[in-house]
Amino acid sequence: ASGLDAGGSTTMAFDGRLLNRPSDKGGERSVAEALLVAYTGVYVPPAPEPVLSPNGDGVAEAESLSYKVVRPSTVQASLVGPGGATLPIDAGTRAPGTYKFNWTGNGQAEGSWKFSVTATDDLMQVSTAERTFSLNETLASLAVRPKALKLRKKRTRLVGSFRLARAAKVTATIETANGTVVRVLSRRSAGAGAQRLQWNGRGASGGLAYGGSYRLHVSATNSVGRADLYAPFTARR
């Protein structure tokens, strides 16, 4: 990325993708001089799943890990888990390119994990990149019914269900599609097992909600960490 101007003619691209479009009506401006900083070490993108949960519900069952080198490099890639346990992922001499791996975490300790990659390139320059994520199977199988809710002044009922593998503090909210909270349904501690809650179609003020796209958001927090699941649905009057 190179920032050559602080105004609307600036364009930024990263890893082959254009991140913005210039807004300056005059278009590109000429640049008399520039200070450029380039990084050619190993790059590790953020983990797609901030919380990996291989619990069989079809959500976040595997983590897609990857790294990229732009020069021939000798690479050591590993996963470091709770207590410092280390799992080798990749090692050896690698040509320039992107290298991808899928990891399910089955049978591994729950908690915080780190994907760490160290590369020594053909100029003997050493670089290291790391990304963190967590493995947490506490929360699973969030569902709502009906998925198309009819809002009525009486007898409106949305039923949500989920499962806890262990005790946790649970917060459940009804939100718009962009995450605005419409109603807090529950803030409580719950034990392991099947859980159930209901929504009567009304907001925090007691008035009937508007029609549109919504989601049930359930968050479970305990000593392992925090896990979140979302179940979308629509509502109409």
Side-chain angles (χ1 to χ4, degrees):
S2 299
L4 302 182
D5 177 73
S9 66
T10 298
T11 303
M12 179 177 288
F14 180 73
D15 202 21
R17 184 168 65 91
L18 187 64
L19 301 183
N20 74 309
R21 295 188 181 279
S23 60
D24 196 325
K25 294 181 179 180
E28 182 180 355
R29 303 178 192 177
S30 60
V31 178
E33 57 188 27
L35 174 64
L36 304 181
V37 179
Y39 174 72
T40 57
V42 63
Y43 170 67
V44 175
E49 302 293 349
V51 180
L52 176 65
S53 58
N55 49 27
D57 67 354
V59 180
E61 297 288 339
E63 192 71 87
S64 297
L65 305 170
S66 65
Y67 69 84
K68 179 179 181 179
V69 290
V70 296
R71 301 186 63 88
S73 303
T74 300
V75 174
Q76 293 281 346
S78 59
L79 280 165
V80 182
T86 301
L87 302 177
I89 297 296
D90 190 34
T93 302
R94 300 291 178 259
T98 300
Y99 297 84
K100 300 180 179 181
F101 315 89
N102 281 333
W103 188 65
T104 64
N106 287 326
Q108 300 297 328
E110 294 179 78
S112 179
W113 284 78
K114 176 174 64 178
F115 180 49
S116 178
V117 184
T118 298
T120 304
D121 67 19
D122 56 346
L123 299 178
M124 300 307 294
Q125 297 179 110
V126 181
S127 59
T128 298
E130 298 177 340
R131 295 291 186 177
T132 59
F133 61 95
S134 65
L135 197 162
N136 189 339
E137 300 184 60
T138 298
L139 180 62
S141 304
L142 177 63
V144 294
R145 59 180 178 82
K147 291 189 175 182
L149 179 67
K150 173 65 174 177
L151 296 169
R152 301 182 178 89
K153 290 184 178 180
K154 296 181 179 181
R155 298 188 302 276
T156 296
R157 187 175 69 168
L158 179 85
V159 178
S161 60
F162 58 94
R163 189 178 73 249
L164 294 176
R166 59 177 64 84
K169 182 178 179 180
V170 174
T171 300
T173 54
I174 298 295
E175 302 174 351
T176 62
N178 64 6
T180 301
V181 176
V182 175
R183 179 79 176 270
V184 177
L185 298 183
S186 176
R187 281 197 182 103
R188 62 186 176 89
S189 295
Q195 310 292 327
R196 181 184 172 99
L197 46 81
Q198 296 183 14
W199 181 48
N200 63 2
R202 297 182 179 273
S205 63
L208 202 62
Y210 293 100
S213 297
Y214 292 89
R215 64 187 188 184
L216 171 61
H217 174 193
V218 175
S219 172
T221 305
N222 54 24
S223 59
V224 178
R226 171 173 166 169
D228 294 82
L229 286 178
Y230 302 87
F233 64 95
T234 58
R236 61 183 179 88
R237 289 196 175 190

